[in-house]
Amino acid sequence: TSNVKLFCDFLTEHELKIHENGKTSKSPKLCGTNYPVSISFIVVNEFCERFSYYGMKAVLTLYFINYLHWDPNLSTAVYHAFSSLCYFTPVLGALIADSWLGKFKTIVYLSVVYVLGHIVKSVGAIPSVGDSTIHIVLSMVGLILIAFGTGGIKPCVAAFGGDQFDEEHTNERRKFFSIFYMSINGGSVLSTLITPILRGDVQCFGGDCYALAFGVPAILMVVALVVFISGSGMYKKSPPEGNILLDVCKCMGLAIKNRWKSSKYDPKKKHWLDWAEDKYPRRLIHEIKMVLRVLVLYIPLPMFWALFDQQGSRWTLQATRMNMAFMLNALLILVFVPIFDMVVYPLIGLCRINLTPLKKMAVGMIFAALAFGSATLVEVNVTVRLNISEIILQKMEDVKANNVHIAWQIPQYVLITAGEVMFSITGLEFSYSQAPANMKSVLQAGWLLTVAFGNVIVLIVAEGAGLDQWMEFLLFAGLLVAVCIIFSIMAYFYTYVDPDELDKLFPDKAANDDDEDNLKKNQKYHMDQTDNSMYLNPVEKSTKM
């Protein structure tokens, strides 16, 4: 009894939960709360993983230029190719977790791949290991492994954390996602502060210590993996239950196939997806229609990410040509989120302005475009001063070329952060509210793909445009304004829906099905699905994933 009391200083008594399969499992809770102990391992794991990822990315562009001796355009292109791959691979991770290994094993196995990537990347940053070709090969292999690791676990960790809660503890689950969000941003802020210091202030092998700057994130990823595995005995581990994304793709494929094979004598369908009615339940088809309407709105969105993700490439390169006495960091997002939620949006509401989610996203685009307008002005100022300084050396005078203070970047960071809050967070909330419960994972994958395609746009422009940097910034700003206009027109014709109305349209009753076979398909389909809606991470709203 005394041992139990001591243990309860940290935990409540173990609760025995009876599952449908008749088995029992222990579900320890934090003492006096309904929070499972297992989530503490998941939150620490996420903090370490985000530190690892953003710490490595903080010096990646400079590593390409100063260590691999690539030109700025190639460095920018590879940086965004890597970022793009990190947002394509979550689809693969979701398929593996839902259809094969389950979330726990997927996180563990792909975290091992993640660690190997960091190790290979760190070894490639050691000058004595081979020649420049070996360094490039090791760096690229390491980045590919990291992309598969971080992208593969991205859709699994938050959902796995949500799995730990009992169904009746929905409020605790929502608060968990807020804690999860803070762990992501906490890891991001610390890493973007510490890693550049390790690179620049610590010398090794006769120069900046990139091996250490990459090695520390590698160690943090090892810690993340060890912490996650340590909680294994406390986790609820749901078996793979089939992937709704795969079902959606199959349904759409069948509809296209049947529509293509149809003749002019066949009965007409109101919607092309109705051609899949012979095999798939009508509720699923209706849900896919709802999702497609949102996915269409996603088409212009990559342009926003094309601007947003240049903070780690073009803006970093701009900063290297300025007076580095001041460094702006990721703390802005932690400051702006509560300011917008508690001050800005309530004030707008008091003014009786109907600021819908889609309107917020459009305003976020404008802020991002203004940020690049500000970056253009800074770039022109830096370029002009550099040119003047070059003329004055020619006159044998000792004048520093980088005499533009980096504080001039503050406006562009303030604007891009405001844009992130209004566009990214609102976009995920909008998508979440407009999708049926079992389709939210599909929209999560679609949202992450917009980030991936945004980085592809930067890659193409960086390699193909051949413009001066200030002209490139201005081009991106103009493109986003044009895209914002298109998006606003699309948003004007969008009709908001309530996914809960589906239960009224498609109750599980025979009266709503034309035949017994269709009823069975509906019943089987509903039995096979689980509601993952509560498990989506509201933070991946901010794309710091």
Side-chain angles (χ1 to χ4, degrees):
T1 304
S2 60
N3 290 336
V4 172
K5 289 181 178 178
L6 286 173
F7 186 65
C8 200
D9 287 339
F10 303 93
L11 314 175
T12 57
E13 295 181 0
H14 285 203
E15 297 180 354
L16 294 178
K17 297 295 180 183
I18 308 298
H19 297 291
E20 292 182 1
N21 57 11
K23 295 182 180 179
T24 61
S25 65
K26 295 180 179 179
S27 178
K29 304 288 176 61
L30 291 170
C31 197
T33 72
N34 292 319
Y35 291 91
V37 176
S38 55
I39 65 170
S40 59
F41 294 91
I42 296 171
V43 169
V44 174
N45 164 269
E46 184 66 11
F47 173 86
C48 295
E49 189 274 326
R50 290 292 84 186
F51 186 109
S52 172
Y53 177 74
Y54 285 107
M56 180 273 300
K57 282 191 73 176
V59 297
L60 189 57
T61 302
L62 299 179
Y63 170 77
F64 291 152
I65 293 175
N66 299 330
Y67 186 82
L68 298 183
H69 305 295
W70 290 350
D71 64 75
N73 285 340
L74 178 59
S75 300
T76 299
V78 175
Y79 176 91
H80 287 283
F82 166 70
S83 298
S84 180
L85 184 59
C86 289
Y87 285 93
F88 277 120
T89 50
V91 177
L92 179 62
L95 287 171
I96 293 173
D98 292 344
S99 304
W100 181 25
L101 295 177
K103 297 183 187 73
F104 177 77
K105 289 184 179 179
T106 299
I107 294 170
V108 171
Y109 294 162
L110 290 181
S111 292
V112 172
V113 174
Y114 202 160
V115 170
L116 289 176
H118 272 303
I119 293 174
V120 172
K121 188 79 178 65
S122 301
V123 172
I126 300 176
S128 59
V129 178
D131 56 14
S132 60
T133 302
I134 296 298
H135 296 158
I136 293 174
V137 170
L138 290 176
S139 297
M140 294 303 101
V141 171
L143 288 177
I144 291 172
L145 292 174
I146 291 171
F148 276 94
T150 187
I153 68 175
K154 194 183 298 294
C156 302
V157 179
F160 188 70
D163 287 346
Q164 307 309 306
F165 290 84
D166 300 325
E167 288 301 319
E168 63 269 22
H169 299 147
T170 55
N171 289 331
E172 287 82 0
R173 182 183 290 155
R174 292 192 189 99
K175 292 178 182 178
F176 157 73
F177 286 131
S178 297
I179 298 170
F180 193 84
Y181 173 66
M182 297 305 295
S183 71
I184 287 176
N185 285 277
S188 171
V189 168
L190 287 178
S191 63
T192 51
L193 286 173
I194 294 174
T195 309
I197 294 175
L198 294 176
R199 175 196 68 86
D201 294 357
V202 180
Q203 299 292 302
C204 62
F205 307 108
D208 289 347
C209 203
Y210 286 101
L212 180 62
F214 292 139
V216 170
I219 293 172
L220 264 294
M221 193 58 221
V222 172
V223 173
L225 178 57
V226 171
V227 169
F228 184 75
I229 294 176
S230 299
S232 177
M234 300 181 185
Y235 296 140
K236 290 181 181 178
K237 303 171 186 174
S238 303
E241 299 175 355
N243 196 301
I244 186 63
L245 180 60
L246 197 60
D247 292 338
V248 170
C249 294
K250 288 181 178 179
C251 181
M252 293 173 63
L254 180 63
I256 294 172
K257 179 182 176 181
N258 289 346
R259 176 66 181 87
W260 182 261
K261 290 183 176 180
S262 66
S263 67
K264 62 180 181 179
Y265 302 106
D266 291 324
K268 299 298 181 182
K269 305 285 187 181
K270 291 183 178 179
H271 193 281
W272 63 271
L273 274 171
D274 294 336
W275 288 96
E277 283 183 339
D278 60 330
K279 184 175 181 180
Y280 290 92
R282 285 189 293 167
R283 173 160 182 161
L284 173 63
I285 294 173
H286 191 79
E287 289 169 340
I288 296 175
K289 291 177 184 177
M290 294 172 64
V291 168
L292 287 179
R293 293 176 67 245
V294 180
L295 289 178
V296 168
L297 286 175
Y298 281 177
I299 294 175
L301 303 191
M303 200 65 231
F304 175 88
W305 301 117
L307 277 69
F308 181 83
D309 276 353
Q310 289 187 59
Q311 293 178 81
S313 56
R314 293 304 202 197
W315 285 16
T316 298
L317 294 177
Q318 185 185 69
T320 62
R321 298 157 57 217
M322 301 168 71
N323 185 327
M324 299 291 286
F326 177 84
M327 180 62 72
L328 195 65
N329 58 61
L331 283 172
L332 274 176
I333 186 64
L334 297 179
V335 175
F336 273 36
V337 169
I339 287 178
F340 272 77
D341 285 342
M342 294 186 291
V343 180
V344 177
Y345 293 150
L347 286 177
I348 293 175
L350 288 175
C351 296
R352 297 183 178 180
I353 298 175
N354 183 23
L355 193 61
T356 64
L358 293 178
K359 289 179 181 178
K360 288 181 184 178
M361 293 175 68
V363 173
M365 290 182 177
I366 295 299
F367 275 129
L370 291 174
F372 266 68
S374 176
T376 301
L377 296 177
V378 173
E379 186 65 26
V380 170
N381 192 13
V382 172
T383 303
V384 169
R385 293 204 183 195
L386 284 174
N387 291 337
I388 293 175
S389 297
E390 288 177 3
I391 295 173
I392 297 175
L393 290 170
Q394 291 175 7
K395 294 182 179 181
M396 305 303 294
E397 294 183 16
D398 184 17
V399 179
K400 289 185 178 180
N402 61 338
N403 59 354
V404 180
H405 201 282
I406 200 171
W408 284 103
Q409 281 194 324
I410 291 178
Q412 65 200 58
Y413 275 99
V414 170
L415 289 167
I416 200 73
T417 304
E420 176 187 2
V421 173
M422 298 197 74
F423 179 89
S424 180
I425 296 178
T426 305
L428 249 296
E429 291 173 349
F430 163 77
S431 305
Y432 188 90
S433 69
Q434 296 297 287
N438 63 328
M439 293 287 175
K440 298 186 189 296
S441 59
V442 177
L443 282 181
Q444 176 78 349
W447 180 265
L448 293 175
L449 286 177
T450 66
V451 185
F453 284 115
N455 282 274
V456 171
I457 292 173
V458 182
L459 191 156
I460 294 171
V461 174
E463 283 296 294
L467 300 173
D468 291 339
Q469 188 57 70
W470 71 269
M471 294 180 65
E472 186 177 297
F473 283 161
L474 197 60
L475 172 65
F476 275 113
L479 287 174
L480 187 55
V481 170
V483 165
C484 180
I485 293 172
I486 295 172
F487 176 78
S488 299
I489 295 172
M490 296 171 67
Y492 178 79
F493 291 101
Y494 182 84
T495 302
Y496 289 83
V497 298
D498 181 6
D500 293 336
E501 292 295 318
L502 283 171
D503 292 330
K504 297 178 181 179
L505 290 174
F506 299 98
D508 291 330
K509 296 178 182 179
N512 289 277
D513 294 274
D514 294 333
D515 53 67
E516 186 176 354
D517 290 337
N518 204 28
L519 173 61
K520 290 179 179 178
K521 284 188 295 184
N522 270 296
Q523 291 175 333
K524 182 180 185 303
Y525 184 81
H526 296 317
M527 291 175 63
D528 289 342
Q529 304 304 310
T530 56
D531 182 2
N532 293 322
S533 62
M534 300 303 300
Y535 308 158
L536 287 180
N537 176 16
V539 175
E540 304 285 353
K541 298 169 178 181
S542 70
T543 76
K544 288 184 166 58
M545 315 198 254

